[in-house]
Amino acid sequence: MPGLVLFGRRWAIGSDDFVLPGAFELFVRLVWWIGIFVLYTVHKGQFNCPGGGLLHSYLLGLIILLASIICALSALVYISMQGTISNPGPRKSLPKILYTRLLLYFPEFIWAIVGAVWVSDNSVQCEKTVINGVIGTVIASWIIIIFTVIGVVIVFDPLGGKKTFYLPDGVSRNLESSQSGQLLYNVKSSATRVWEKRIRLLCCCIVQDDDHRVAFTSIAELFRSYFSDTDLVPSDIAAGLILLHQEQDKMENCPKEPEEVLCHSPSSLMSDDLDVELENAAHYMLFAAAAYGWPYYVYTNPYTALCKLNGDCCRNRPTDSDITGSDRHNFHFGSILKITGLQYRDFIHISFHNKIYEIPFFVALDHKKEAIVVAVRGTLSFEDILTDLSADCEDLTLEEVLENGFVHKGITQAANYIYRKLINDGILNQAFTIAPEYKLVIVGHSLGGGTASILAIMLRNSFPTLKCYAFSPPGGLLSKSLADYTKHFIVSVIVGKDLVARLSMPNMEDLKRRIVRIVANCNRPKYQILLRGCWYEVFGGDPDDFPTELDGRSQDALTQPLLAEESLMVHRSPSYNALEEESHLNSPPQYPHLYLPGRIIHIVEESSSRRLCSSDIKYTARWSNETVFSSILISPKMITDHMPDVVLKALNSLSQEHGLCLSCQTREHNPSAV
C-alpha cells in the first residue's frame, strides 16, 4: 500500500506492517506484565527494606504502564489487520493509535531511567529476587527502546517530505505546468543525491577516484529512475514476490500443450552438437571457476583448503613479472593451480589487479584441448559490483561488422581494459609464439562471462576461430543484432532459474509492473500473504489460491490498469505505459532490450527416476533462445542457480551421464565386450 504518512512525511512502512512485529511485542509485553504482576503480588507488604518505598511505586507504576502499552498494541495490531494492501480505508484510524503508542515511550523511558538509578543504588537492601526482577525489567526496557530507535531509522525515508504524490492534486496531475515541472525536477535531483550518498556509504572502504564518482552518479540515477514511480514499501515487494512465486508454480504445474512439448524436442543433429558443447563447457568451467582464486577454493573445500594452500603455495613461487596485482601468501595462484590442475609453466599471464571497470583475468595454455584460454573473473568485490551496476547502454564500434549495436557500458569498459592488456602488452602474441597451433578460447562466469563475450566480439576479426564460453552471463548485455552475430562463436550456459541471466532493465521494469499488479489486486491482508508464503517456501505444499480482482475479467479488460494499480504508481514508467493500447503520447523506454550472448544451453534440475545411467539428481539440458529469459522467475534457487559451484556440478553431472550412457549403449550393441 502507499507508505504511511506520519508527522507530515512519508515513511517506508505501510499501515498494515504492524501486525507481525506488533503481535511479537504484544506477546513479550504480556509475559512481562504477568511476571511483574506476580512479583508485586507475592512481595506485597514486604517493601520495608531500604529503598522499598521507591520500589513499591516503581512496580505499581510499571504494571499500569505495561497495561496501557498492551491496550495500545492490541488496538494497533487489530486495526493493522484490517483491509488489504490496496485498500487502506479500514486502517484510517491507525495513525492516531500509533501516536498514542509513541507517546507511551516517554513514560517508559523515564521509568527505565528510574529503574536503572534504583538498581545502581548501593544502599538498597531488598530481597535478591526483587532486585533481579527489577534488573531484568530495566534491561528489557532499554532493549525495546534501542530496537525501536533502530526500527525508526530503518523505515525513515529521506525523501518522505518531498514525494510528488503528496503535492496538491492540481499540481501533481498537471505535469505540463512549469511549477510542477520544477517540483518534479527538484524531487528527482534530491532522490539522485540520496541514492548517491547511500552508494558512497556502502563503498566507503574503497579508494574513490574520478571513475568511481562518475559510476556513483550513473548508478544513483539508475536506482532513482527505477524506484521513483511507485509507492511501494519493502513488505509490499516481499508480498508481491511471494504471490508471483506461487502463481508461477501453479502455471508450471499445469499440463503442457502437445505443440509446446514438441517444440522442445531437439533434432538428432542438435542433440549431438549439444553433447559436444556440454563436454567442452564442463572442461572450461574449471577455468572460469579458478579465476575466482582462493575464495572459491575455500568455499568448495572448507575443511582442507587452507591446509593444502599453506602446504603448497610457498613452492614454485612465480616471479613478480608473472603476476599483476596483489596475491598475498600466493593463495590466489595456488588455488588456480589446484582447481585447473595445470603446472606453473602453463600460465602466460595472471592479473589480480582490481578496480572499477578493471577486473582480474589470467591466460594459460590448455594442453588437453590444445587451446590458449583467457579466463575472466566474475563479481567478487565492491568494484565489480559497481561495474555490474553501470548499466547504461553505449555503442560498440567494430570494424568489418555490418551491424553494430548497443552493449552494457560497465562490462564493455571492463572488456576494453582486458583487450588493451592482451593486445598492447603482447600477451596473446607471447602465447601464440609458444603454441602457434592452439586455438583461442575465452571463458568467464557471471560478470566474467559478460566481459568474456564482449571481449570475444572485439577479438573476433583478429582470431576468426576463437570460441567463447559464457557461464551465467548477465541478461542485459547485447542488442539483438550483436546477440545474433555472436551465435557463431559464443555459447552461454544457464542453470535453472538463474536471476542474473534474466537481469536487464526492461525485465526489472516488467517485474515491478507484475508486482504492482498482483499486490494491488490481491484480496487478502498482507500478513496472511507473508505467513502463508513463508510456510510455502519452507515446507512446500500446494500453492495458495489467493483470490484477486483480476479473476473473471475479460482479456481486453486485463490490458487496462486497475484503479488500485494506479494508486500505487506515482507516475507511470515507460514499461507500465505499454499496458495501454493508446500510448502514442508516452515517452519511449529509457533502456533498450538487451539479450544474452550467443547460443544458449539451458540446464534444468529435475526429479530423478530410477533409470539406467541416471544419478540421484538428474539434470537435463537443451538449446534455448533469448526469449525464454525475457522474464524474471521467482524461486528460492534464483540465487543459488547462479553460483559457480552449482554450474560446475550440473555440467559435470551431464558430462558423466552422457559418458555412462554411451558406455551402456556400447555394451548393448557389443555384448562380447563385457
Side-chain angles (χ1 to χ4, degrees), residues 307-323:
C307 294
K308 290 181 178 179
L309 291 176
N310 281 325
D312 296 343
C313 286
C314 294
R315 307 171 189 170
N316 298 326
R317 184 176 181 85
T319 61
D320 292 337
S321 60
D322 296 317
I323 292 182

Side-chain angles (χ1 to χ4, degrees), residues 455-493:
L455 179 63
I457 297 174
M458 296 175 175
L459 293 171
R460 170 72 169 170
N461 289 337
S462 301
F463 303 93
T465 61
L466 72 77
K467 288 278 292 185
C468 174
Y469 290 91
F471 303 97
S472 308
L477 191 65
L478 305 175
S479 61
K480 189 66 169 68
S481 59
L482 278 176
D484 291 339
Y485 170 71
T486 60
K487 292 184 186 296
H488 303 290
F489 56 95
I490 296 180
V491 174
S492 292
V493 179

